[in-house]
Amino acid sequence: MSNSVSEQPAELVARLRATFRTGTTKPLTWRTGQLHRMRTLLTEHRDDIAAALRADLGKSTSEAYRTEVDFVIREIDHTLDHLEGWLRPEPAPVPAHLGEATAWTQYDPLGVVLIIAPWNYPAQLLLAPMAGALAAGNAVVAKPSELAPATSAVLARLLPQYLDTDAVALVEGGVPETTALLEERFDHILYTGNGTVGRIVMAAAARNLTPVTLELGGKSPAFVDRDTDLDTVAARLAAGKFLNAGQTCVAPDYVLTDPGTARALETALAKAVDTLYGPDPAASAEYGRIVNDRHFDRLTTLLDSGRQVIGGGYEREAKYIAPTVLAEVSPDAPVMQEEIFGPILPIVEVAGLDEAIAFINDRDKPLALYAFTESDTTRERLTAETSSGGLGFGLPVAHLTIPDLPFGGVGESGMGSYHGRYSIETFSHRKAVLTKPLS
Ligand code: NAD
């Protein structure tokens, strides 16, 4: 596959486009064949991928399976089960003024798709969009993150052994390689990462009127209502927050709650972290590490943004930062200025729901909003009065494991979506067709 160093981006894209033009990628059998092969790759090499994820991010094997390898397998299986139905042309009623005629919509593949992935779930966020683009009948150029070099290398080695190298290519590299790719004309670009680079990608795409899907991040709030079962809330919050050492785009970034609930939640969170990782998380095989020194140094400057309830410890050599909960955090504190993307959970106090809604709406639209409440009215108000990519009541992070839900952001957290049939919509053109008999 074309990670061959000799092949320049222009040649590569021309070669894949030539394959696309032959029609090779369009039949259902080619699409399902590629999905089956990707599935075989994942089952035969799950341990190689898990080892790479451990090297890049200190991920435990169980977390690597659950959030990367098996996640993509489930996405593939769901697509294989439904693809034929999703691709079926959809009839449209024809108005009377056209007389005898039929009309329908059908999905056309777009052509050559570029997928640019980040480092935090470096296998899942490359392969899940790729599965969707292949299922939609496209050729694909996949660009893994250079900040997860072991995962990038293992995928560069394995993908060509399984997938159709005439139509699928993986290009390793960093900013220069991505910049060079972005000089080329693609038919769609899906970028996952931060908003600064998202703007670079969108500007490059604009030169060719290439549509983009931007899967970005931001600060995802978690509102905790009065009178909830705080042991359950804390267990779920901690599991979602400290997964992958907090380096999850849909992790609860901070908690909003009233002062009384905040005090009780502090205790419950300390207990939840102890249950998850034991008294010394550094010794837990389940707890991950920070991806690199730059992020480590950024995160350690945030550790005194509030009163430390638990955690606060770190070790630079090991890129370890303890799961940390900060209480009585001011909205002006450094930790509240940007997406944390690490294992620090600030609790910000608000008087109640009205203030929480105002707090959320005063800031960028988040990728996810979470709330823990027993009140239907609170659920209804949050649903109606806020905007976010996804909305989770009672359980953070898990909505993106439901393949029939679109995964994507809104505003600063991104545009467009994918997963399941939403990947088919994203990576296809829905063509309008009219046919009227000549006689
Ligand atoms: P990153 O640094 O790995 O960058 C992502 C990709 O962009 C890489 O492939 C990289 O090579 C490329 N890139 C970096 N700089 C570039 C440049 N100047 N020009 C062209 N390409 C460039 O990842 P990151 O941005 O640090 O990822 C973290 C962010 O991603 C967080 O904000 C997180 O919330 C977000 N995220 C979003 C999702 C989602 O699905 N919405 C998922 C994961 C992460």
Side-chain angles (χ1 to χ4, degrees):
M1 174 165 322
S2 76
N3 196 24
S4 82
V5 197
S6 56
E7 198 174 27
Q8 294 303 309
E11 290 170 58
L12 166 64
V13 175
R15 183 169 67 77
L16 297 194
R17 197 176 299 289
T19 301
F20 180 75
R21 290 228 181 106
T22 65
T24 306
T25 64
K26 289 187 180 172
L28 184 64
T29 48
W30 184 87
R31 305 180 192 201
T32 54
Q34 294 304 299
L35 293 178
H36 278 295
R37 285 187 218 175
M38 192 190 279
R39 194 185 196 290
T40 308
L41 181 164
L42 289 164
T43 51
E44 290 181 352
H45 294 281
R46 54 198 302 135
D47 293 334
D48 296 325
I49 296 169
L53 291 164
R54 177 175 289 281
D56 286 332
L57 290 147
K59 277 193 201 197
S60 70
T61 305
S62 64
E63 190 175 316
Y65 287 170
R66 185 160 48 95
T67 65
E68 306 241 24
V69 177
D70 293 343
F71 184 101
V72 180
I73 289 176
R74 272 202 312 278
E75 177 74 14
I76 289 173
D77 288 347
H78 180 73
T79 304
L80 285 168
D81 282 349
H82 298 282
L83 186 57
E84 196 170 359
W86 290 338
L87 294 176
R88 213 164 278 143
E90 201 177 308
V94 175
H97 74 267
L98 285 172
E100 189 193 335
T102 49
W104 67 90
T105 55
Q106 68 178 59
Y107 286 122
D108 278 357
L110 293 170
V112 184
V113 167
L114 174 62
I115 290 163
I116 306 175
W119 51 266
N120 63 332
Y121 289 84
Q124 184 212 128
L125 295 172
L126 191 79
L127 297 178
M130 225 175 134
L134 294 171
N138 297 286
V140 177
V141 176
K143 176 25 207 93
S145 176
E146 72 280 17
L147 302 183
T151 311
S152 177
V154 78
L155 294 176
R157 176 169 68 81
L158 293 175
L159 282 179
Q161 295 172 23
Y162 287 83
L163 299 183
D164 180 350
T165 52
D166 290 336
V168 185
L170 184 146
V171 177
E172 285 195 275
V175 176
E177 289 76 10
T178 318
T179 306
L181 279 172
L182 289 171
E183 292 289 317
E184 300 307 315
R185 182 172 70 80
F186 289 91
D187 300 286
H188 193 97
I189 301 174
L190 183 144
Y191 166 81
T192 304
N194 66 77
T196 306
V197 177
R199 284 166 169 81
I200 295 173
V201 169
M202 198 169 174
R207 290 198 292 269
N208 295 307
L209 283 183
T210 298
V212 292
T213 302
L214 299 179
E215 296 280 338
L216 310 177
K219 292 180 90 63
S220 295
F223 173 69
V224 180
D225 208 352
R226 285 186 184 88
D227 303 325
T228 50
D229 171 357
L230 289 181
D231 285 336
T232 302
V233 172
R236 293 182 188 178
L237 264 178
K241 176 71 186 192
F242 299 116
L243 178 74
N244 199 22
Q247 301 162 114
T248 301
C249 56
V250 287
D253 187 274
Y254 62 95
V255 171
L256 285 176
T257 193
D258 64 275
T261 308
R263 290 298 88 70
L265 186 62
E266 288 172 21
T267 317
L269 279 167
K271 209 164 81 188
V273 170
D274 187 81
T275 306
L276 279 171
Y277 305 114
D280 178 16
S284 164
E286 292 304 311
Y287 187 64
R289 295 295 181 268
I290 305 307
V291 66
N292 58 25
D293 290 342
R294 183 170 65 81
H295 281 284
F296 180 89
D297 292 340
R298 177 182 65 77
L299 287 163
T300 50
T301 66
L302 305 177
L303 288 168
D304 12 341
S305 285
R307 173 169 55 80
Q308 282 178 4
V309 176
I310 52 160
Y314 52 87
E315 200 201 319
R316 195 166 194 269
E317 188 77 355
K319 297 196 198 73
Y320 166 77
I321 298 181
T324 299
V325 175
L326 301 177
E328 294 167 279
V329 173
S330 155
D332 301 326
V335 77
M336 288 304 294
Q337 304 318 304
E338 282 176 14
E339 180 181 6
I340 300 168
F341 223 52
I344 307 170
L345 182 63
I347 303 176
V348 177
E349 293 173 14
V350 286
L353 182 63
D354 286 336
E355 202 177 314
I357 290 176
F359 193 95
I360 294 160
N361 289 339
D362 280 346
R363 288 164 176 76
D364 291 335
K365 291 180 182 175
L367 183 58
L369 169 62
Y370 304 115
F372 298 86
T373 179
E374 301 285 359
S375 155
D376 287 341
T377 313
T378 301
R379 273 193 283 269
E380 280 160 22
R381 284 199 55 198
L382 284 165
T383 308
E385 296 176 33
T386 67
S387 175
S388 56
L391 174 59
F393 292 114
L395 187 61
V397 181
H399 60 290
L400 68 90
T401 65
I402 300 175
D404 281 319
L405 287 180
F407 176 49
V410 56
E412 280 287 323
S413 57
M415 61 182 70
S417 63
Y418 73 109
H419 282 182
R421 68 189 165 92
Y422 299 98
S423 293
I424 305 302
E425 283 184 14
T426 288
F427 295 119
S428 309
H429 166 60
R430 196 197 281 254
K431 184 157 72 182
V433 184
L434 161 74
T435 172
K436 183 164 175 62
L438 291 176
S439 53

